[in-house]
Amino acid sequence: MSDKEIVSPSGIPIEPVYRPADADIDYARDLGDPGRYPYTRGVQPTMYRGRLWTMRQYAGFGTAQQTNTRFRMLLDKGQTGLSVAFDLPTQMGIDSDSPRALGEVGRVGVAIDTVEDMHVLLDGIPLDRVSTSMTINATAATLLAMYVVVAEERGMRRESLSGTIQNDILKEYIARGTYIYPPVPSLGLIAEIFRFCAEEVPSWNPISISGYHIREAGATAVQELAFTFANAMEYVARAIEAGLSVDVFAPRLSFFFAAHNDLFEEVAKFRAARRLYARLMRDRFGASDASSRLRFHTQTGGVTLQAQQPLNNVVRVTIQALSAVLGGTQSLHTNGYDEALSLPTAEAATLALRTQQIVGYESGAALTADPLAGSYYVESLTSTIEQQAEALLQRVDELGGAAKAIAAGFFQEEIGRSAYEYQLAVERGETVIVGVNRFAESADAPAIASPDYSALEREQAARVSAVRAARDAAQVAQALGALADAAGSYAEGAGAVHAPLMPLIIDAVRARASVGEISDVLASRWGTYRPGT
């Protein structure tokens, strides 16, 4: 064996053996029983003995009809919740018939232009019994409004709806890039969505604060926690500034984390996350225990999937799924083994779901809460990750919070450095990727058929045109005008009195205004964001 220090993927030194002194925990202070503050051991007293996590496979294919077909297939095979992937034009507030959408319609998710598309997407799905997660940020308010209008036009009450919109714009500025508006009005709109959901859709999670995309950009597990919670503290503070009580909206805050390959570091990360969040919410905002419980969705790591020897990804995804379950996730998406090559085939998506079902029903991991508690190694890792994330969060606080740290480029530089160091380690062979830099084989990647995206684009553009031709143009103009008038105050920042925007967005959606038209109205009042400005 080499004398070189062994470290975890986050750079935490790993000892050859761990003993009781290494854990160094006080049970009542640091752990507590599951379902009790600080929730290190889980947010429910018996965890999965009461109910397994929601098996929520992420899907979005070209048109609403294609995606509806995939949703129905997954539900028939035992999936318990929906998760919608939208194409880039929808995420960026661009209609499918816009020249700016050329070449991108339906390529990385489903194209949704008007509420008529949302009707097709959700056709035959019982919205009062199936929860839906929508990965959408800059246009989150519009897509939520469309979901509400679909339910309304089916004769369903808003109170019966359950689900989540991602609605996490800060991480878009940090890591992902699907932003439209500057931070000030964007944060104001997020606070408005908090208000609307608390009052009108009480079983809906108004945000899913995402560490996943931060991790996908190259962050370590420690950075994933620290930067996610920095963003969360900014959202909570802005909502309180807007006049909301923390205990009104905080119980419905949700989070979204990645699960990568180091089983024990990932389990420790999830446990540390619950403890750190509970302490932050209580100490900073005086939140109640119900407002301090960290509830999160997990997705297995997209960047860990390899195009070489793609069947190896089945094993990677299984390890990652197990870490999420041992770490106490509330819902889980498992990636298809072929996703480094294409959108997942039906076969790969089914196997990914079966992976969750085998972990849930055959592995024994769900029989008792927090089964790795008391492991000297896991407890030591949990405490170290919490301490390092807290120290990094303090650096963000010193910069004035997440929004100012983003403006200063702090998050971006830290993540970029970590990503660069990881890639160097891979290229030196210090970080082993089976089938890539060790145990490689020369073989052609399997052929996977691609859809005819040009035909899909023409079809979707025709749908938008048909809706525009059939709707009442005067009603649309009136709804968009009212929205424009109310949006102005949101550019004024904290302390401004903001008119309720969600009812006006719902009115515009009901009149068949498109995603692009609503986005353009808001941009006319708020401007658009450019990095460095």
Side-chain angles (χ1 to χ4, degrees):
M1 286 288 291
S2 168
D3 291 333
K4 185 176 180 181
E5 183 179 55
I6 304 296
V7 299
S8 79
S10 288
I12 297 170
I14 305 300
E15 302 300 328
V17 66
Y18 284 79
R19 301 179 177 85
D22 296 307
D24 188 26
I25 53 171
D26 178 283
Y27 188 86
R29 181 195 68 209
D30 299 321
L31 297 179
D33 286 346
R36 302 190 59 124
Y37 184 91
Y39 305 109
T40 310
R41 304 198 61 198
V43 295
Q44 300 294 340
T46 60
M47 287 303 292
Y48 305 129
R49 287 177 72 135
R51 181 172 68 88
L52 289 181
W53 62 93
T54 301
M55 298 181 188
R56 190 186 302 283
Q57 292 298 103
Y58 186 48
F61 292 84
T63 66
Q65 183 60 62
Q66 290 172 306
T67 306
N68 178 264
T69 299
R70 176 59 61 91
F71 283 162
R72 286 171 177 253
M73 182 205 81
L74 289 168
L75 289 170
D76 287 345
K77 292 179 182 294
Q79 177 173 302
T80 53
L82 302 180
S83 184
V84 187
F86 297 96
D87 72 354
L88 283 175
T90 304
Q91 295 181 52
M92 299 293 292
I94 301 167
D95 288 334
S96 295
D97 59 349
S98 167
R100 294 173 61 209
L102 189 64
E104 289 292 346
V105 175
R107 283 189 177 266
V108 297
V110 61
I112 299 292
D113 291 297
T114 71
V115 72
E116 296 297 344
D117 293 325
M118 188 67 84
H119 269 293
V120 174
L121 179 73
L122 301 173
D123 182 49
I125 294 169
L127 303 184
D128 54 349
R129 299 200 304 275
V130 174
S131 67
T132 303
S133 174
M134 296 190 284
T135 302
I136 197 75
N137 296 281
T139 56
T142 304
L143 273 297
L144 174 59
M146 288 183 174
Y147 197 93
V148 168
V149 170
V150 167
E152 172 189 284
E153 293 179 349
R154 288 191 192 176
M156 300 170 61
R157 296 182 304 109
R158 294 174 182 180
E159 295 86 348
S160 69
L161 304 178
S162 62
T164 305
I165 45 170
Q166 192 162 98
N167 196 27
D168 176 7
I169 202 64
L170 290 177
K171 69 95 174 49
E172 296 297 325
Y173 303 128
I174 294 169
R176 194 161 172 270
T178 64
Y179 44 72
I180 303 173
Y181 320 111
V184 167
S186 295
L187 290 167
L189 180 56
I190 288 171
E192 159 65 1
I193 294 170
F194 285 6
R195 179 207 63 78
F196 172 78
C197 289
E199 295 178 3
E200 303 279 344
V201 201
S203 296
W204 197 275
N205 300 320
I207 195 167
S208 177
I209 305 165
S210 175
Y212 181 86
H213 301 97
I214 291 170
R215 189 70 178 277
E216 289 284 287
T220 65
V222 169
Q223 290 171 330
E224 180 186 3
L225 288 198
F227 297 162
T228 303
F229 289 150
N231 290 345
M233 296 303 101
E234 186 84 46
Y235 292 131
V236 173
R238 297 295 181 115
I240 291 171
E241 287 175 2
L244 299 178
S245 166
V246 66
D247 290 327
V248 167
F249 67 85
R252 297 307 309 181
L253 300 182
S254 64
F255 289 77
F256 176 24
F257 292 117
H260 280 208
N261 288 330
D262 189 302
L263 178 74
F264 295 105
E265 182 171 83
E266 294 301 300
V267 173
K269 178 190 76 179
F270 296 130
R271 299 174 83 247
R274 277 192 295 272
R275 187 159 74 207
L276 178 55
Y277 181 71
R279 289 171 171 171
L280 287 169
M281 291 298 287
R282 177 181 281 188
D283 295 346
R284 295 193 180 198
F285 303 109
S288 67
D289 283 1
S291 299
S292 304
R293 288 188 301 175
L294 178 74
R295 300 172 306 112
F296 62 91
H297 171 74
T298 307
Q299 181 174 339
T300 57
V303 296
T304 70
L305 300 175
Q306 305 301 326
Q308 300 92 332
Q309 301 178 29
L311 285 175
N312 293 345
N313 293 328
V314 176
V315 183
R316 294 184 178 103
V317 168
T318 303
I319 292 169
Q320 294 163 12
L322 184 61
S323 78
V325 171
L326 293 173
T329 193
Q330 277 60 68
S331 69
L332 178 61
H333 164 85
T334 35
N335 291 325
Y337 66 83
D338 54 2
E339 288 190 60
L341 301 166
S342 72
L343 291 173
T345 59
E347 176 192 47
T350 300
L351 181 57
L353 177 60
R354 294 287 181 255
T355 301
Q356 292 200 50
Q357 291 165 335
I358 291 169
V359 171
Y361 293 103
E362 297 187 28
S363 74
L367 297 182
T368 189
D370 194 22
L372 292 184
S375 157
Y376 308 138
Y377 178 37
V378 170
E379 296 296 359
S380 175
L381 267 180
T382 299
S383 296
T384 301
I385 290 172
E386 180 190 16
Q387 291 159 10
Q388 292 191 2
E390 193 170 21
L392 193 50
L393 184 57
Q394 181 61 40
R395 293 178 64 189
V396 177
D397 290 340
E398 290 167 359
L399 290 168
K404 290 183 178 178
I406 290 168
F410 174 72
F411 294 139
Q412 300 91 314
E413 289 176 10
E414 291 291 309
I415 294 168
R417 187 177 301 111
S418 294
Y420 180 66
E421 290 172 355
Y422 172 80
Q423 186 60 34
L424 287 180
V426 170
E427 292 179 9
R428 288 193 297 260
E430 296 167 2
T431 295
V432 175
I433 302 177
V434 173
V436 177
N437 64 355
R438 196 177 298 183
F439 315 113
E441 299 172 357
S442 58
D444 294 332
I448 298 175
S450 293
D452 183 344
Y453 285 112
S454 296
L456 186 156
E457 190 170 273
R458 289 193 297 271
E459 176 187 340
Q460 188 62 25
R463 282 183 57 81
V464 184
S465 296
V467 172
R468 288 201 183 103
R471 68 191 185 183
D472 184 329
Q475 186 181 13
V476 174
Q478 181 179 4
L480 292 176
L483 178 61
D485 291 342
S489 66
Y490 281 72
E492 298 173 19
V497 177
H498 295 160
L501 278 193
M502 279 303 299
L504 298 174
I505 295 173
I506 288 171
D507 287 345
V509 164
R510 193 183 292 119
R512 273 43 188 177
S514 68
V515 170
E517 290 166 336
I518 293 169
S519 298
D520 287 348
V521 164
L522 297 179
S524 73
R525 294 296 186 268
W526 299 345
T528 54
Y529 176 75
R530 295 289 181 269
T533 61

